[in-house]
Amino acid sequence: MRGCSSRSKTAHSQGRAVCMTNCPTLIVTVGLPARGKTYISKKLTRYLNWIGVPTREFNVGQYRRDFLKIYKSFEFFRPDNEEGLKIRRQCASAALNDVQLYLTEEGGQVAVFDATNTTRERRGLIIQFAEQNGFKVFFVESVCEDPEVIQENIVQVKLGSPDYTNCNTEEAVEDFMKRIKCYENSYETLDEVLDRDLSYIKIMDVGQRFMVNRVLDHIQSRIVYYLMNIHITPRSIYLCRHGESDLNVRGRIGGDSGLTPNGKQFAKKLNQFIQTQNIQDLKVWTSQMKRTIQTAEALCVPYEQWKVLNEIDAGDCEEMMYEEIQERYPLEFALRDQDKYRYRYPKGESYEDLVQRLEPVIMELERQENVLVVCHQAVMRCLLAYFLDKTAEELPYLKCPLHTVLKLTPVAYGCKVESISLNVEAVNTHREKPENVDVHRTAEDALQTVPAHL
Amino acid sequence: MEQENMRRSRCDSTASVPQFCNSPTVIVMVGLPARGKTYISKKLTRYLNWIGVPTKVFNVGQYRREAVKTYKNFEFFKPDNEEAMRIRKACASAALSDVAAYFAKEYGQVAVFDATNTTRERRAIINTFAKERGYKVFFVESICDDPDIIAENIKQVKFGSPDYIDRDIEEAMQDFVQRIECYKASYMPIDDEIDRKLSYIKIFDVGSRYLVNQVQDHIQSRIVYYLMNIHVTPRSIYLSRHGESELNLLGRIGGDSGLSPRGHKYAGALASFIRGQKIKDLKVWTSHMKRTIQTAETLGVQYEQWKALNEIDAGVCEELTYEEIQENFPEEFAMRDQDKYRYRYPKGESYEDLVHRLEPVIMELERQENVLVICHQAVMRCLLAYFLDKAGDELPYLRCPLHTVLKLTPVAYGCKVESFFLNIEAVNTHREKPKNVNVNRNPEEALLTVPDHI
């Protein structure tokens, strides 16, 4: 996110840490099993990390699985199973302990505590824990009574769970339904009156309706906005670069050139490919640079131009070959190899800047259904990193070759990726990180990984 | 139909909202008198216009004042006053008629229908009206029973209303309270069950809690996000440019130079001024450029750097004087004078682009309380235009001289502006629009309005 002055520390007084401006946030999920809590936890965590807020999820069910090794049946979750309750309480404590470590000693900013947390009593304990440590608490409750949605949920993520590896589908569904029943009697939903002092969002019927109470700060506001924009309607996102451009073949970065004959060929093939995919209501987005617009023109459908999809601005290095950058700015060239994510071209941008300007694109991609985004190498790397949960270290080296379409389809807790090469020749524009990133390296060492060009 | 086709053709978007060329939207306010409907209507309209979505408010009370020249007393609003009822219905119809004209003939995208709309019957009429014409409808209901807030409301905006111009305060208050009573008996708030198919947001107690139902599209999502971030807590926003810079003295635009000696003096004067204002919990924001950071350093408090606050990127004209721009790029120079808001420097930005990148700053300014923003000429013009509701043709010519602090304090439906020149001399950097903007003009005509420099 934007550059910040250092994070304030917490002060302690009377066993209650005082929340300073940037104190960590504990997000607490609430809801019966199969209401999408883990789906939301993982997705939210992925989004926050991508925009630069160090976030981690803590799934209490995972702690339980690590402790118990073998799951027998729903009986473990019966409210009268003392042994079971003891273990479950221990797992919750262990998880909170790790939360505390993460937020106070490991540089975490947000922790997502993923469990049912269906009783006011349990939530009260968590609030106490947070107050003692100076964490802000934000509840995310998912309420849903639609049996079809719940069924689909169970099919998508429960059948594949380690808990049910040795059961057939019928057995698993039956057991899971009984598991849900174990929670139902003691479930106390967040209440408008009783819980009016808490900060929370209640998501009803998979996003048809929301109740939002006492949003305290910027990060909670962003979280609410994000949660209100995501959906689970099946769809696919297609990512590709523009067709091969004139500057591409000459090994020059940036600029605003048009397509080569190969590039035009790709545009035609892209059109054919899209037709065969038979996509319902496809939206097409491009940047405002010639090469993506020319590519989209071949599709003969309306498309939308976003300036924020423009390629990374290489500043003083615009339209230079890597060889020229090495000759004129050898120091800069080495610094970039040392930290490609954060390095900012003189008078240009960094990948980190790019992520920030792409955030509205991601938000709108979440809102939309079937979309084809025709963009650029660095931009595509950033978008891909969001969907595939890649770190800042990996992001600038993700492979996004020309003339290849990536089809992303959300499935279970993640994203299925299909890579489709449209079989049109193109130069390679991918420069791997060289072995020697020292500022005193020789020109050969620096240029070792530069791909071939005219 | 032809207009519809025009709407559906390919859309270029430099505005902050992707122009999906969708159907227009009618925002319908709902709520008893003195619940902030007009405040919300005007603020929302100002925001939407600033981000590039043509929006207009239709205040039915205004139509009533035009139809019934003199307001006598609350009896006009009694539910059994048939004559008045007829007039009020006619006013609502007239307003809806104007909404239709705004969409069809004036390329409006959003209309805010500001009235009480407290009965289900009235809301159904509006819904039907909209559906027949293919408009989307989004309700915004404000619910508040806190007598202090309502009283404050009445004081701030009702006493100054044309309705009460000849009344003294007690009389006006009494009459208005009776007016509210007239509506209470028939008030049917939006019902979560009966109205579950409608799209709406309910705002409780000035934003302490929200209920959001069936958000249909991007613009509604943005509206919800905005409404959830604004507040009415009294505060002030201070806008200032960096101190005079070295490049300012030379008459050169852009760049990243440090402060001149006088610029440093200003930083000191700014620190004294700020101390003198005795502001509670002031946040200080700067850009990533040396001159704003140097200015902030003297304040001796923590400040936050935003890349989004960097000055407009003049691309190929960076660090040139206007004389040099005229010599090297006479045609560009003329085109800029023809449409300064939309003109984009080659390899640079336009004011329109600037507004887009400043949107998150505005959103965060809305969330915050007391803030000092140390920025740049073009950036400050954009921010000022948002607060003072200035359109694209005025925005690039707003006066934002060096060494002057603007203090903005929200009051009633607008913003009070106080200007403080801190008595440190500085060059003038304001270039007025010259008379001759023709590309064939001679250099003298082009350079007529260039301010003096070394």
Side-chain angles (χ1 to χ4, degrees), chain A residues 184-454:
Chain A
E184 270 175 6
N185 284 339
S186 59
Y187 182 19
E188 295 168 289
T189 186
L190 285 171
D191 184 83
E192 260 172 53
V193 179
L194 294 172
D195 299 309
R196 66 179 165 285
D197 289 332
L198 301 183
S199 297
Y200 66 83
I201 178 172
K202 192 189 268 204
I203 306 170
M204 295 171 267
D205 299 316
V206 204
Q208 290 300 301
R209 190 191 302 195
F210 304 89
M211 172 85 75
V212 180
N213 197 61
R214 292 201 189 275
V215 171
L216 292 180
D217 61 13
H218 178 89
I219 193 67
Q220 289 180 15
S221 159
R222 292 287 286 275
I223 288 166
V224 164
Y225 185 42
Y226 182 72
L227 292 177
M228 288 175 59
N229 280 318
I230 60 180
H231 68 78
I232 54 169
T233 310
R235 49 86 170 249
S236 290
I237 293 167
Y238 297 79
L239 300 180
C240 77
R241 289 167 68 187
H242 51 82
E244 184 191 69
S245 74
D246 286 322
L247 287 177
N248 284 148
V249 295
R250 289 156 60 201
R252 294 181 174 282
I253 64 173
D256 191 14
S257 58
L259 301 180
T260 62
N262 276 346
K264 292 187 181 135
Q265 181 66 3
F266 167 71
K268 285 208 191 84
K269 286 267 180 90
L270 181 64
N271 182 28
Q272 288 164 7
F273 169 73
I274 292 298
Q275 309 274 8
T276 60
Q277 287 279 302
N278 263 322
I279 308 154
Q280 196 200 36
D281 292 327
L282 179 71
K283 296 256 159 70
V284 179
W285 298 351
T286 70
S287 68
Q288 288 185 356
M289 297 181 135
K290 287 203 201 79
R291 50 202 190 275
T292 57
I293 294 171
Q294 282 178 14
T295 308
E297 277 288 316
L299 303 173
C300 302
V301 294
Y303 56 90
E304 175 120 6
Q305 300 176 20
W306 293 65
K307 185 174 197 259
V308 291
L309 282 173
N310 282 3
E311 182 57 315
I312 192 171
D313 183 357
D316 285 339
C317 298
E318 276 285 315
E319 300 198 41
M320 291 172 74
M321 296 187 290
Y322 289 120
E323 292 83 346
E324 288 168 352
I325 302 177
Q326 167 59 25
E327 198 181 310
R328 271 196 254 170
Y329 307 104
L331 176 61
E332 294 291 329
F333 201 38
L335 290 177
R336 185 162 205 253
D337 283 337
Q338 287 178 16
D339 188 357
K340 197 175 177 190
Y341 183 71
R342 273 164 217 87
Y343 172 84
R344 195 181 276 164
Y345 281 108
K347 304 207 174 146
E349 296 177 295
S350 63
Y351 271 93
E352 193 171 28
D353 295 328
L354 204 49
V355 160
Q356 220 205 351
R357 73 161 154 93
L358 286 169
E359 202 264 346
V361 175
I362 287 296
M363 196 62 88
E364 191 55 23
L365 274 173
E366 285 294 348
R367 288 198 53 80
Q368 291 292 336
E369 293 184 17
N370 294 314
V371 187
L372 163 66
V373 185
V374 182
C375 55
H376 305 267
Q377 183 167 250
V379 169
M380 187 161 158
R381 283 170 172 157
C382 292
L383 298 178
L384 198 57
Y386 166 74
F387 289 108
L388 303 186
D389 204 15
K390 298 295 183 188
T391 62
E393 284 58 51
E394 299 173 282
L395 186 161
Y397 297 100
L398 292 174
K399 284 203 188 292
C400 295
L402 287 166
H403 300 184
T404 306
V405 180
L406 289 186
K407 177 179 177 179
L408 305 167
T409 311
V411 69
Y413 292 138
C415 223
K416 177 173 87 169
V417 193
E418 294 166 75
S419 173
I420 304 124
S421 161
L422 297 196
N423 276 320
V424 179
E425 287 292 304
V427 294
N428 172 27
T429 58
H430 186 94
R431 179 173 168 269
E432 283 292 1
K433 180 171 179 167
E435 261 177 58
N436 191 348
V437 300
D438 190 84
V439 298
H440 301 300
R441 63 190 178 176
T442 64
E444 291 93 272
D445 278 354
L447 299 173
Q448 202 164 37
T449 54
V450 171
H453 59 86
L454 290 173

Side-chain angles (χ1 to χ4, degrees), chain A residues 64-65 71-72 77 158 160-167 179:
Chain A
R64 189 259 307 157
R65 273 185 280 276
Y71 171 76
K72 287 209 201 79
F77 291 98
K158 301 301 178 187
S161 152
D163 290 346
Y164 295 110
T165 32
N166 296 324
C167 302
R179 203 154 121 178

Side-chain angles (χ1 to χ4, degrees), chain B residues 408-441:
Chain B
L408 306 168
T409 311
V411 71
Y413 294 137
C415 224
K416 176 172 86 167
V417 193
E418 293 166 81
S419 174
F420 299 92
F421 172 61
L422 299 193
N423 267 322
I424 313 277
E425 288 299 307
V427 294
N428 171 26
T429 59
H430 185 95
R431 178 173 168 270
E432 283 293 359
K433 180 173 178 170
K435 280 217 176 69
N436 192 345
V437 300
N438 196 301
V439 298
N440 295 319
R441 64 191 176 176

Side-chain angles (χ1 to χ4, degrees), chain A residues 2 208 210 212 218 364, chain B residues 210 212 214 218 221 304 364:
Chain A
R2 57 194 186 263
Q208 290 300 301
F210 304 89
V212 180
H218 178 89
E364 191 55 23
Chain B
Y210 305 88
V212 180
Q214 304 277 10
H218 179 92
S221 159
E304 188 155 337
E364 192 53 22

Side-chain angles (χ1 to χ4, degrees), chain B residues 91-342:
Chain B
C91 288
S93 290
L96 284 179
S97 204
D98 286 351
V99 164
Y102 177 61
F103 288 152
K105 306 198 185 112
E106 295 173 54
Y107 299 107
Q109 191 64 35
V110 176
V112 183
F113 191 70
D114 179 17
T116 48
N117 298 315
T118 39
T119 62
R120 188 157 287 114
E121 184 206 355
R122 170 58 59 87
R123 297 196 289 269
I125 292 174
I126 301 169
N127 224 1
T128 310
F129 164 86
K131 291 278 172 285
E132 281 169 359
R133 291 164 182 74
Y135 307 153
K136 288 185 179 167
V137 181
F138 188 74
F139 294 93
V140 177
E141 181 170 22
S142 174
I143 296 169
C144 180
D145 292 311
D146 183 332
D148 291 333
I149 296 179
I150 296 166
E152 180 60 29
N153 217 328
I154 297 177
K155 271 196 220 120
Q156 276 233 6
V157 297
K158 301 301 178 187
F159 293 159
S161 152
D163 291 344
Y164 294 108
I165 252 178
D166 298 317
R167 270 1 111 80
D168 75 31
I169 294 190
E170 250 113 65
E171 259 186 69
M173 179 64 100
Q174 280 238 19
D175 184 87
F176 201 83
V177 168
Q178 302 263 52
R179 205 154 120 175
I180 298 177
E181 288 303 314
C182 293
Y183 285 89
K184 271 193 180 159
S186 59
Y187 181 21
M188 288 178 246
I190 295 177
D191 186 275
D192 296 333
E193 268 315 300
I194 305 177
D195 297 314
R196 69 179 163 287
K197 291 228 162 69
L198 300 182
S199 297
Y200 62 84
I201 178 172
K202 273 195 205 184
I203 305 171
F204 297 91
D205 300 319
V206 203
S208 156
R209 186 158 53 96
Y210 305 88
L211 184 71
V212 180
N213 196 60
Q214 304 277 10
V215 170
Q216 292 169 45
D217 61 12
H218 179 92
I219 193 66
Q220 289 180 18
S221 159
R222 291 287 285 276
I223 289 166
V224 164
Y225 185 42
Y226 182 72
L227 292 178
M228 289 176 55
N229 281 319
I230 61 180
H231 67 78
V232 294
T233 311
R235 51 82 170 251
S236 289
I237 294 168
Y238 298 79
L239 300 181
S240 160
R241 288 168 69 187
H242 51 82
E244 183 190 69
S245 74
E246 300 288 357
L247 285 179
N248 284 148
L249 280 175
L250 300 173
R252 295 184 174 283
I253 65 173
D256 192 14
S257 58
L259 298 181
S260 68
R262 296 194 298 199
H264 280 295
K265 277 218 189 91
Y266 173 69
L270 182 62
S272 302
F273 171 76
I274 290 297
R275 270 193 297 273
Q277 288 278 303
K278 298 205 180 340
I279 308 153
K280 190 177 86 138
D281 293 326
L282 179 72
K283 296 256 160 71
V284 179
W285 297 351
T286 69
S287 68
H288 277 198
M289 298 180 136
K290 286 200 200 83
R291 51 201 190 275
T292 57
I293 294 170
Q294 283 177 10
T295 309
E297 276 289 316
T298 319
L299 298 171
V301 297
Q302 270 189 335
Y303 57 91
E304 188 155 337
Q305 299 176 25
W306 292 67
K307 184 170 197 262
L309 284 172
N310 280 4
E311 181 58 315
I312 191 170
D313 183 355
V316 299
C317 296
E318 275 285 316
E319 299 195 41
L320 298 186
T321 60
Y322 288 118
E323 292 84 350
E324 287 165 355
I325 300 176
Q326 168 58 30
E327 196 181 312
N328 294 305
F329 309 101
E331 200 176 305
E332 295 291 328
F333 200 37
M335 294 204 306
R336 184 161 206 254
D337 284 337
Q338 288 176 17
D339 189 354
K340 197 175 176 190
Y341 184 69
R342 271 164 220 86

